[in-house]
Amino acid sequence: MREKRLFCVVPCYNEEEVLPETSSRLKRKVNELIQQGLVSQDSRIVFVNDGSKDATWSIISRLHEEDEIFQGINLSRNRGHQNALLAGLMTVKSICDMAISLDADLQDDIDAIDEMVKKYHEGIDVVYGVRSSRQTDTFFKKATAEGFYKLMNAMGANTVYNHADYRLMSKRALEGLAQFGEVNLFLRGIVPMIGYPTDVVYYERAERFAGESKYPLKKMLAFATEGITSLSTQPIKMITGLGFFIFFVSIAVLIYCLVRYFNDQTIPGWTTTVLSVWAIGGLIMISLGIIGEYIGKIYLETKSRPRYIIESYLKDDKDNVDLVDHIN
């Protein structure tokens, strides 16, 4: 049986501090898999440069020159983590048997790759890397992260709890992913929609060994909003439910006022009026904001702009890859 070709896809944005160590660790891991006969000798590590402003691309280019195990994809400009990850996956889908996506900081335990590959050989198409615990997180980080996953699922976005973007996908799973044409990407919610056999691998997340996190609280909140509005109409339904609730409350208030009026118990006052105006006004503004978020998504989707443009690809000469956006 032909050995299967593995590609590790690593999005990079200003990662010059971690790349030397990351490349060394990943190279060692891939070579271990090759020695065990789990993957073929022409397996590769692909770094995707997402418009970095530091020396990230220079380091990737040097790594490629020194060892053919390293490949590099340079995007024309910064497109964000999800688009950079998609660019890497869609570029290698035609030349790999399986692809593993992971972050450049290697906080996700790369020893879990062994079990992922073994599950692939057992016939699993998508293997999710899932954190077994959050003991290394601060209380605030743990609370906000767990709240993120609970909120996503409550809003109708089908995500895997405590799973980020550390996963293995088979070639046919990648082909399935290629059929999703959303401009507004949230891969953690899209991948479960593919529907092929899935499994999970649990691991302990380590501390970042260099550099700074690219996902502070502000970005996490924006990421959650992107995921919810890209995958779920639940907020729109909530606005409808809120509208009905306020309508029934207004009927009750109307009846109450009429009863007091006919009993000569009306007392003119401005407090309730002011509070009512501000409360209803605030709800209207929030509702318009949510609706506007969806209209903005529709606006971007109808334009069908490319999600990424590849400027250059450092690859093996034998790999025939067309450097265009792979999804129309």
Side-chain angles (χ1 to χ4, degrees):
M1 182 178 66
R2 181 179 66 86
E3 290 182 333
K4 302 298 184 178
R5 193 178 191 190
L6 166 68
F7 274 71
C8 294
V9 178
V10 187
C12 302
Y13 178 68
N14 294 341
E15 299 288 6
E16 63 178 3
E17 295 181 68
V18 303
L19 271 178
E21 180 64 20
T22 296
S23 59
S24 175
R25 293 187 189 182
L26 283 177
K27 177 182 176 180
R28 185 162 56 247
K29 172 53 63 179
V30 172
N31 284 332
E32 288 176 3
L33 295 171
I34 293 173
Q35 291 172 5
Q36 296 174 38
L38 293 174
V39 300
S40 69
Q41 291 186 351
D42 56 351
S43 295
R44 297 290 181 261
I45 300 164
V46 183
F47 293 110
V48 183
N49 180 42
D50 185 23
S52 298
K53 299 177 181 178
D54 60 5
T56 295
W57 181 243
S58 298
I59 296 173
I60 294 172
S61 300
R62 176 173 53 79
L63 289 170
H64 174 70
E65 292 175 0
E66 294 174 352
D67 195 324
E68 65 178 3
I69 197 172
F70 297 111
Q71 296 188 356
I73 297 173
N74 189 32
L75 301 188
S76 60
R77 69 178 183 88
N78 178 258
R79 294 295 300 170
H81 178 273
Q82 297 291 280
N83 287 293
L85 178 54
L86 184 73
L89 294 174
M90 293 299 98
T91 301
V92 305
K93 70 180 174 63
S94 61
I95 54 177
C96 74
D97 295 293
M98 57 184 135
I100 292 179
S101 58
L102 68 166
D103 291 338
D105 56 22
L106 293 192
Q107 286 185 270
D108 299 318
D109 184 10
I110 62 173
D111 287 333
I113 293 178
D114 300 63
E115 191 173 351
M116 287 182 175
V117 174
K118 289 176 182 177
K119 288 185 179 294
Y120 164 82
H121 286 294
E122 293 171 2
I124 305 300
D125 286 282
V126 181
V127 184
Y128 299 103
V130 177
R131 294 184 63 172
S132 57
S133 68
R134 288 186 173 271
Q135 296 179 354
T136 57
D137 288 349
T138 62
F139 173 80
F140 180 76
K141 174 64 176 177
K142 180 179 180 181
T144 53
E146 292 183 346
F148 168 80
Y149 291 105
K150 291 177 181 178
L151 175 64
M152 293 298 298
N153 289 327
M155 290 292 105
N158 182 25
T159 59
V160 178
Y161 190 71
N162 272 341
H163 162 72
D165 286 300
Y166 185 29
R167 69 179 76 88
L168 177 147
M169 298 182 70
S170 68
K171 185 182 185 70
R172 75 166 182 166
L174 291 172
E175 295 289 350
L177 178 61
Q179 298 181 46
F180 288 81
E182 286 95 330
V183 172
N184 302 284
L185 279 178
F186 187 72
L187 294 176
R188 301 181 197 183
I190 293 176
V191 172
M193 295 181 185
I194 296 174
Y196 292 131
T198 65
D199 206 340
V200 299
V201 170
Y202 294 97
Y203 67 94
E204 288 285 346
R205 188 172 171 86
E207 296 287 342
R208 187 181 176 97
F209 59 83
E212 296 180 354
S213 172
K214 302 303 185 295
Y215 270 94
L217 178 61
K218 183 179 179 180
K219 275 197 172 183
M220 283 299 296
L221 292 174
F223 192 52
T225 302
E226 179 75 20
I228 292 169
T229 53
S230 296
L231 297 170
S232 172
T233 58
Q234 191 65 28
I236 296 290
K237 295 177 182 177
M238 289 174 63
I239 291 176
T240 304
L242 182 61
F244 277 109
F245 173 75
I246 294 175
F247 174 71
F248 288 122
V249 169
S250 66
I251 292 177
V253 172
L254 175 62
I255 295 172
Y256 172 75
C257 292
L258 289 175
V259 170
R260 290 184 63 88
Y261 174 77
F262 287 115
N263 289 328
D264 295 324
Q265 295 177 341
T266 54
I267 300 175
W270 62 272
T271 305
T272 53
T273 302
V274 171
L275 289 176
S276 298
V277 169
W278 278 93
I280 299 301
L283 289 173
I284 291 174
M285 293 300 293
I286 293 172
S287 301
L288 288 175
I290 294 175
I291 294 172
E293 186 73 25
Y294 279 93
I295 293 174
K297 290 287 192 298
I298 296 171
Y299 173 73
L300 292 174
E301 292 290 343
T302 55
K303 284 180 172 293
S304 299
R305 291 173 175 170
R307 289 166 291 188
Y308 58 85
I309 296 175
I310 297 175
E311 181 177 326
S312 54
Y313 180 23
L314 305 176
K315 60 183 179 66
D316 296 351
D317 294 335
K318 64 181 180 180
D319 291 333
N320 184 22
V321 178
D322 188 14
L323 298 185
V324 296
D325 187 7
H326 296 270
I327 306 179
N328 296 325

